[in-house]
Amino acid sequence: AELPVSSDIARYADFRGSFLAKAQQRVTALEVYCKGCRRPYEDVADEKCAAVVDNRHLIGGDQRVRAKRLPAPVAPAGARLVPGHTYSRRGVEAYVQRMV
């Protein structure tokens, strides 16, 4: 579960590993991060949020300089594609097929 907290509480939770919620219930903070840029709090505590500028770090960098996807492999000459068996991934039939 995610609990949005102020920067003061986030700093305390990052240091201590827990904090008090509004209902005076102690909450263990497993991970403290910025919701905008999704970087750990200790990395962005004294910086502006990177998501304010752009979200380029979430999509793997600049799209213009990243390597493009490789095309699908071409079947060799004379090869014949044979459709495989289809099976259900949901329901009782899927469970039974996994057990066999």
Side-chain angles (χ1 to χ4, degrees):
E2 290 184 356
L3 295 175
V5 295
S6 67
S7 60
D8 295 335
I9 295 175
R11 179 175 283 122
Y12 183 82
D14 188 44
F15 181 70
R16 296 280 184 195
S18 66
F19 64 96
L20 280 177
K22 289 183 180 178
Q24 297 301 316
Q25 180 180 8
R26 176 126 334 253
V27 177
T28 302
L30 301 177
E31 183 179 13
V32 182
Y33 64 93
C34 174
K35 188 167 179 130
C37 62
R38 299 208 180 262
R39 291 171 49 202
Y41 181 78
E42 58 200 24
D43 294 346
V44 297
D46 300 326
E47 301 174 8
K48 290 181 94 175
C49 181
V52 174
V53 178
D54 61 5
N55 279 338
R56 194 171 291 157
H57 66 284
L58 293 178
I59 58 174
D62 192 358
Q63 298 284 327
R64 294 171 291 170
V65 297
R66 279 192 0 201
K68 303 298 180 199
R69 290 184 180 162
L70 298 175
V74 179
R80 186 172 47 140
L81 295 176
V82 179
H85 176 70
T86 59
Y87 60 92
S88 173
R89 297 186 331 201
R90 295 179 177 85
V92 176
E93 294 85 14
Y95 177 78
V96 170
Q97 285 187 353
R98 280 186 291 219
M99 298 304 287
V100 174

